[in-house]
Amino acid sequence: MNRFLPYACFLGLFCSFTFAADDYVLGIDSQPNLSTPKGKIEKSEWKSNIFPGTVREMLIYVPAQYDGKTPAAVMIFQDGSSYANEKGQFRATIVFDNLIHQKEMPVTIGVFLNPGTVPSSNPKEKGRSNRSFEYDTPSDQYATFLEKEILPEIEKKYNVRKDHAGRALCGISSGGICAFTAAWERPDLFGKVLSHVGSFTNIRGGDVYPGMIRKTEKKPIRIFLQDGSNDLDNLHGHWPLANRSMAAALKFAKYDFVYVEGDGGHNGKHGGVILPESLRWLWRE
Amino acid sequence: MKRLLSCFLLLVSTTWGYSQDIPLSQILIPSENWTKTTSNLAGEFSAIASDSQGALFLASTKSKSILKLDSTGKTIEVVTDAPAKALAIDSQGGIFLASGSNILYATPGNAKASMIIEGLDCVALCTLKQGQCYGAAPTEKTIYLFDKSGAKKKVNTEDPVLSLAVSNDETTLFAGSADGRSIFTFRIEQNGEITAKDRYVAPRKPLAGVNGSVPGMTLDKANRIYAATSLGVQVFDPTGRLCGVLLQPDFPRFASSIAFAGTDKSTLYALVGQSLYTRKILFPGK
């Protein structure tokens, strides 16, 4: 009996980290296709002044169809490296390759931004993560960071659209509320939001949005929300309830929105599987 | 088999040690509450601080001296004739004191503190292992860095702050704003200068009509921030997210100075008015 105890403990612990079905499988639009032209990815590091002392990785995806003459759309992903990972849950660059080739979304420059870190002055110590501060805070600081630092850098290198409908924001978890916050603060700059398991909870006061949406004149933002019924329920709030509350508020205020709830937990499995459909809906004319 | 067991233990230990997404229920001991100290600690105090060994130092307004409460509960007078509104203990056991508009320093074992800086009005002090000390001078909107020789420099001159704390790895300085709206973070450079200021932590605000402030602050070993505010002691995880608010020890009065001390530094001490309150906490202090 005793020899099986560690196995049983391990299995029990493992099961506590998995949820319900959550057995989503990526579709064909998330798979590389040899007949589809592949975009290029440029990697760089960004040092910010809006978030003083922070550095972050930035990947810029340029689709094969970009010709430099026609302004391309722009989509900025928070926690970018996880979205750009070609073996990850989203595989966004592969989906971009396929959908742009099929003309089911516009030629779009993808900006994959990681959250900032304040490096330690002591090389033996880890830097301080700025992720929660940047993503969870309901303020205009992140939108200002995109406006003053990231968009000018993209516009310096590429011919891109400058209208709000030609710019989209996307993120998972705290990155989801971050995408919404930036568009909410600056709808003149960002007209589209894609949120996966968005943290519209009280991590740093972001649970105020349903009330604010209901009592604010409708803003020109198109929003796709995804969550799972087995998402988090912790000290910050209840993620499925928070996303349902967001959806109800967006419906009340007559927004152009979709809310899709699967049965997954706090991960990108479901959001990744429906990413192609989400992008078709978000970028539809 | 051994490998599997190691994986299991590693997973369990990292899960237990994880310092984020922790509600108050995992920080507080269910049957424990704030307790007002009696007997030899029923004095009148203006500030508290602790050293790395868990000894508590109290600035007594009655005897105008600094008392030391060691981890066995014994109290001795370690500095005489030194009324103080803030104090901090360095790694050698020396004591920096903000006394009136001067900064004093008492070397270990010496009951007489010497003035090292004249005309510097600080309300909070915080030491680095190298021996330097930060001082918050809110009337000048300045944070100073000085050492026991009295050499000082201004390291920030933007906001009035009332409390200071340094992360366990001494890479980040936390500073509680006088208006209670923010706990600023600064990157601590190798020479002690501070850069990269931001409003990293936003304490819960008091109700309208009540002034907010962060007059006291300390950290636990996991770098969770314990901030004394007018709402109570607010606890934040290392990424600056609110874990919860501890009730005030003596409502509606609130703590002005807090410190972890005692055996394993697992007791949180709070100075409310001139009275001292204690509370056992599950996680040890820094």
Side-chain angles (χ1 to χ4, degrees), chain B residues 47-286:
Chain B
I48 58 173
S50 63
D51 67 10
S52 57
Q53 308 302 310
L56 186 73
F57 293 77
L58 308 103
S60 169
T61 53
K62 197 185 287 178
S63 63
K64 296 183 171 44
S65 63
I66 306 302
L67 306 179
K68 177 183 177 182
L69 172 72
D70 67 22
S71 55
T72 66
K74 191 177 158 193
T75 307
I76 54 169
E77 195 172 73
V78 290
V79 181
T80 58
D81 193 25
K85 55 189 173 187
L87 67 163
I89 321 302
D90 68 18
S91 57
Q92 305 301 312
I95 306 171
F96 286 93
L97 302 166
S99 182
S101 294
N102 302 315
I103 303 297
L104 313 182
Y105 183 76
T107 53
N110 189 344
K112 187 69 182 168
S114 307
M115 185 167 69
I116 56 170
I117 304 171
E118 190 175 5
L120 179 52
D121 188 2
C122 288
V123 299
L125 302 172
C126 179
T127 55
L128 292 171
K129 285 176 193 147
Q130 293 171 333
Q132 296 158 301
C133 185
Y134 292 107
T139 54
E140 296 180 51
K141 296 185 178 180
T142 299
I143 299 173
Y144 282 90
L145 178 67
F146 45 80
D147 60 26
K148 60 188 176 187
S149 76
K152 72 175 196 296
K153 59 182 170 184
K154 295 180 178 182
V155 289
N156 185 266
T157 56
E158 291 172 342
D159 297 278
V161 303
L162 300 183
S163 53
L164 297 168
V166 169
S167 63
N168 284 266
D169 60 7
E170 299 206 336
T171 61
T172 303
L173 175 69
F174 299 92
S177 71
D179 64 7
R181 292 178 57 209
S182 307
I183 295 172
F184 301 111
T185 49
F186 298 88
R187 171 181 142 122
I188 299 176
E189 303 295 341
Q190 293 283 359
N191 62 359
E193 298 263 4
I194 52 176
T195 59
K197 174 193 156 198
D198 219 328
R199 294 178 178 273
Y200 194 66
V201 181
R204 186 181 287 177
K205 296 174 187 67
L207 297 172
V210 180
N211 290 329
S213 65
V214 185
M217 189 162 36
T218 190
L219 302 184
D220 71 11
K221 273 212 182 317
N223 275 326
R224 272 184 292 267
I225 306 155
Y226 288 68
T229 73
S230 50
L231 285 181
V233 175
Q234 301 193 31
V235 185
F236 300 89
D237 73 22
T239 69
R241 310 185 304 180
L242 181 66
C243 299
V245 186
L246 277 60
L247 297 179
Q248 289 141 311
D250 185 17
F251 183 84
R253 298 193 305 163
F254 55 91
S256 59
S257 184
I258 53 176
F260 279 100
T263 308
D264 300 329
K265 298 193 89 170
S266 59
T267 300
L268 184 62
Y269 287 80
L271 189 62
V272 182
Q274 294 191 333
S275 301
L276 193 63
Y277 289 78
T278 66
R279 183 171 194 165
K280 286 268 187 194
I281 301 288
L282 279 173
F283 288 90
K286 176 193 162 197

